[in-house]
Amino acid sequence: MTSGLEYPWWLRITHWFNFFFIILLFRSGYEILMSHPKLYWSDDAKPSDVWLRVGDEERTTDFDKEAIDGEDLWAAEDEIDPPSSLISLPGRDAIGMGRHWHFWGAIGWIVCGVLYVGALLISGEWTRFVPTSLEIFPQAWDALVAYAQLQIPHTEGYNALQQLTYFGVIFVLSPLMILTGIFQAPVFRAKFPDWFGTNRQFNRSLHFIGFVAFNIFLFVHVALVAAHGFWAEMGKIVLGSEAASTELTIALTLLGVAIVIGFAGFATWISLKRPYRTQNALEIGVDPLLKGLFHHVSFVEGDDRPEASEFARVNGKPPRNDEYRTHFENDFEDWTITVDGLVENELELTPEEIREMDKQEHITRHDCIQGWTYYAKWGGVPLSAIMDRCEPHEDAEWLVFWTLDEKWEYSEDGPFEEVDDNVPEFYYEAIRMDKAREPRSILAYEMNDDNLPIAHGAPYRLRIESQLGYKMAKWVTRIEFVEDFEDIGKGYGGWRDDVLHYYPNSADI
Ligand SMILES: Nc1nc2c(c(=O)[nH]1)N[C@H]1C(S)=C(S)[C@@H](COP(=O)(O)O)O[C@H]1N2
Ligand SMILES: [Mo]
């Protein structure tokens, strides 16, 4: 038995909160994973470079990106494998909502972890499992051998194997999860393009491996608690002492587990039933924090690296309306970009005028919210050049990019019960003024030294290099300057923001 262990109150409380947040993170993380259930090591991986694939068959890459009907084109959204609500939070095809929960849960978990580690250090309890001599390794081996023979190693306090495992989980695995989570942000890549640590696929893969390690730990941890004598051990973590009343321990354990399971069910239910309210509630505190972390980052100019990826995924299928088809048949010669709203000079930019303006080219990474990435070279007009011409008013805060994309592929019902009325007929996205002024924000008309392919947004699409892909509207027709976007659509600042519960300002991660 691990005798001689009494747990102080703060340790017991943080342990239960930890359990609560870990379950939340597991479930919402699974939701995020299943939106692109494929893992790679490199940011320009082709579909065939996948090292782990959950569900879904392998995709081929030989579709025609110039086809107007998009008939055999597969969009990355077709690769989503909607998970069950029993396992994931909230389940179904709802990555935006899963991310809200994941960020909320991550902040709660980190706060809990910081309090725990702080208390460990102050109280001196850290000596229980921070190894202070190399003897720990042979001792841990002995303990492992004992467990393998189905015996419980006899020690005062934790045995060496427990010490090493707890130490590893708290001081290695947990920080790894935090860092590999946060370094997936496009904002870091846009700031440190050359640094290996901002490789998104590498971080995704490590984050997943850490997730598996956490699951194994949880399983073995509970199994060992059972092996050591379940209710006596639970007595310690619930009431602080193994001499505690067994009845009270059982009652409180069941209550704790019921709260965690009950909350899991409630979170799924409310997310699917009342997505807008859930989204608003989960943004409280989290959104300002993310803005505070990422908003003041300044970005590099120029290329992320010398060459484009061999293959680029597509998201959002080409428009099918007659207007787009007519333009297509006419080589987009009459397609103009309207610039209006809160501006001094309204513009109607023709293809000739746009090509006469300064051209900017750069190679950069594309990051979809689902997790996939590719590098491409983009060429087009800096948004700052357009702003110099139209002269936005002082009160203009946002640029709304309107498109000819009617989102025909979304005509069936979505995952949420709340009806998506009020959503504009065409895809749109709002970009904040300071994002638009970043050095690599352009209205692109070229991709990899060629005209923009139909599938990638011909004749014009937005490129903002520090944000997630859904912000970069394709098939753009109009740039409207506004003070805020509350009255547009459902008021979340974009078509995907409105319909799929992503949020506009945290498109940085
Ligand atoms: N008009 C329009 N633009 C759009 C979308 C869309 O569905 N419609 N999808 C967005 C998403 S989610 C991503 S990831 C990128 C994908 O860009 P790509 O197809 O050029 O790779 O386009 C963005 N722009
Ligand atoms: Mo995306």
Side-chain angles (χ1 to χ4, degrees), residues 76-77 314-316 366-372 427 468-471 496 502:
E77 281 169 302
V314 166
N315 233 2
H366 180 90
D367 298 274
C368 175
I369 193 168
Q370 288 173 260
W372 49 272
Y427 195 91
L468 290 171
Y470 66 90
K471 283 282 147 197
R496 284 180 189 265
Y502 306 154

Side-chain angles (χ1 to χ4, degrees), residues 39-41 51 173 176-177 180 201-211:
L39 295 168
Y40 324 85
W41 293 114
W51 70 264
L173 189 54
L176 180 88
M177 291 310 270
T180 54
Q201 299 309 333
F202 180 76
N203 281 307
R204 276 182 82 230
S205 289
L206 283 190
H207 205 68
F208 174 78
I209 291 169
F211 167 66

Side-chain angles (χ1 to χ4, degrees), residues 350-359 381 445-446 451 459-460:
T350 64
E352 295 76 34
E353 283 175 298
I354 287 181
R355 274 155 191 83
E356 275 164 20
M357 293 169 78
D358 282 347
K359 179 175 170 188
V381 196
Y445 49 82
E446 281 181 5
N451 284 337
Y460 300 107

Side-chain angles (χ1 to χ4, degrees), residues 77 312-317 366-370 372 374 378 403-405 407 409-410 427-428 447 455-457 461 463 468-475 495-496 502:
E77 281 169 302
R313 277 188 166 74
V314 166
N315 233 2
K317 300 191 181 183
H366 180 90
D367 298 274
C368 175
I369 193 168
Q370 288 173 260
W372 49 272
Y374 65 83
W378 305 98
T403 77
L404 253 195
D405 174 13
K407 298 306 296 165
E409 72 271 35
Y410 269 85
Y427 195 91
Y428 76 99
M447 180 182 186
H456 288 287
R461 67 99 45 88
R463 292 301 312 173
L468 290 171
Y470 66 90
K471 283 282 147 197
M472 301 172 207
K474 308 195 280 189
W475 311 292
W495 189 92
R496 284 180 189 265
Y502 306 154

